[in-house]
Amino acid sequence: MVYHSSLVDEEGITKACGCPLLPLKGKTDIIDEAITFFRANVFFRNFDIKNPADKLLIYLTYYINLSLKRLEGCRTLAVGTKAIINLGLENVPIPGESGFPFTALFHPPQSQNEAELFRDYLKQIREETSGRLLSVAYRPNGTPNKWWLAFAKRKFMNISLN
């Protein structure tokens, strides 16, 4: 069974491209859920959406999978950090642009402001996810955690990672 987001309260939450822009750094935020559920959810080829926060959970699961793929050959935390920083410097595609993996889940932005808002939010959650992921993908002594990096070989929702 797929794990869904428990963040279902949408009242007062800004949306862009049909996706809630959930606040980060609460008690348990969407990034915590994505990292916690990643090793179970990555095995699924289909993911039925129960609430709008599930869209973010799907996106973050994909991003964690992509990040682990980049960390796969990194033998130290320092090298892994550099790889994640380089990933963060890449262009972040949004719905309607080539390279966005979930065109069926998110609608294209209706305005330039919505496009900028969503791109900035995706950059923010990717950056925050990267930092938190490094703390589980590597042990305190800086060596790789094989119980996390082994998942770099998995394909989430049958999406190929470059």
Side-chain angles (χ1 to χ4, degrees):
M1 185 173 96
V2 173
Y3 288 94
H4 296 276
S5 176
S6 64
L7 305 170
V8 294
D9 182 22
E10 292 185 59
E11 199 170 304
I13 301 292
T14 304
K15 289 185 178 178
C17 300
C19 179
L21 307 183
L22 298 172
L24 304 179
K25 300 188 183 188
K27 265 191 172 182
T28 299
D29 62 19
I30 192 69
I31 295 171
D32 292 331
E33 285 189 344
I35 290 173
T36 300
F37 299 149
F38 173 79
R39 293 186 287 180
N41 283 349
V42 75
F43 287 101
F44 292 96
R45 290 176 185 235
N46 299 313
F47 197 112
D48 57 321
I49 297 172
K50 301 274 188 202
N51 64 65
D54 282 346
K55 292 179 180 183
L56 273 178
L57 193 62
I58 290 168
Y59 182 84
L60 286 173
T61 301
Y62 162 80
Y63 180 72
I64 291 168
N65 198 205
L66 179 63
S67 298
L68 290 174
K69 188 77 174 160
R70 296 288 176 96
L71 294 174
E72 197 171 21
C74 302
R75 294 279 144 241
T76 65
L77 177 59
V79 175
T81 301
K82 185 176 179 182
I84 288 295
I85 288 171
N86 287 338
L87 178 60
L89 294 175
E90 292 178 8
N91 181 43
V92 178
I94 58 172
E97 295 179 351
S98 67
F100 189 78
F102 303 108
T103 54
L105 293 180
F106 301 87
H107 65 71
Q110 303 300 311
S111 67
Q112 186 62 34
N113 285 346
E114 185 180 12
E116 288 175 26
L117 179 67
F118 197 56
R119 188 181 318 275
D120 289 345
Y121 183 74
L122 290 181
K123 285 180 184 178
Q124 179 186 6
I125 63 170
R126 286 167 64 124
E127 183 179 310
E128 185 67 29
T129 302
S130 295
R132 295 186 203 180
L133 183 61
L134 285 171
S135 69
V136 295
Y138 289 89
R139 294 186 174 90
N141 67 1
T143 59
N145 182 339
K146 69 178 181 179
W147 303 113
W148 269 92
L149 293 178
F151 285 87
K153 293 174 179 22
R154 297 294 315 172
K155 276 186 182 180
F156 176 59
M157 294 178 64
N158 216 19
I159 297 173
S160 291
L161 303 174
N162 297 337

